[in-house]
Amino acid sequence: MLLGTIFAADWVIHRRDPRWLVIGVFDEPAHLASAALVSRRPAFLVGAVLPDLDHIPLALAPDHPKGGDPRPKSHCLLLTATVALVSPAAAAGTLVHFARDLADDSGVPLLWPLSDRAVKVPYPLYGLTAAALALHKAVNPS
Ligand SMILES: [Zn+2]
């Protein structure tokens, strides 16, 4: 179920080329599914979607670019460190969020503000990791 949510979302996002706002309808459940492969603790799941909160004002802006927006600066390890001060579980969830976004074409500015460089990994690395986690969960149900 979780792996199906991830791969179905990514199929739609990458093969159907939906509008930017529609991508979020598929991407956020895939972030939650990715996180749930690791932990279902509520704070962890909140952390797994937390970095995308700054998409909301961008989406509501009247001059919103139709082609989407660059990856917000909230996608960096500074956010993880800041969140860790409040909730280590939520901070760990942000790392799973970044793991998924690393496999996206635009990458993640993980080291901002030290560097604006977007870090990327090939999508198969994310997909295979998610499949391995799903297999591990199937073999070791908790
Ligand atoms: Zn994101």
Side-chain angles (χ1 to χ4, degrees):
M1 176 71 174
L2 297 173
L3 200 57
T5 299
I6 293 167
F7 289 146
D10 289 341
W11 184 85
V12 170
I13 292 169
H14 297 289
R15 301 283 182 211
R16 307 302 298 173
D17 197 26
R19 292 177 47 194
W20 181 75
L21 287 173
V22 175
I23 288 174
V25 172
F26 291 93
D27 193 42
E28 297 312 320
H31 275 296
L32 285 171
S34 299
L37 288 172
V38 178
S39 170
R40 294 185 182 190
R41 290 182 62 186
F44 187 83
L45 296 174
V46 168
V49 294
L50 184 66
D52 280 347
L53 280 183
D54 64 1
H55 284 293
I56 293 172
L58 294 170
L60 298 176
D63 58 346
H64 176 262
K66 291 200 181 326
D69 64 302
R71 183 82 62 212
K73 299 297 187 206
S74 62
H75 287 64
C76 67
L77 295 175
L78 180 61
L79 174 74
T80 302
T82 304
V83 172
L85 298 173
V86 178
S87 170
T94 66
L95 295 176
V96 173
H97 183 100
F98 299 154
R100 174 173 167 73
D101 282 353
L102 285 170
D104 186 61
D105 287 342
S106 55
V108 178
L110 276 181
L111 300 179
W112 185 87
L114 300 175
S115 169
D116 284 333
R117 183 176 166 270
V119 179
K120 302 176 188 178
V121 299
Y123 182 84
L125 181 61
Y126 164 72
L128 288 172
T129 301
L133 288 168
L135 179 62
H136 176 76
K137 260 199 167 338
V139 173
N140 303 295
S142 52

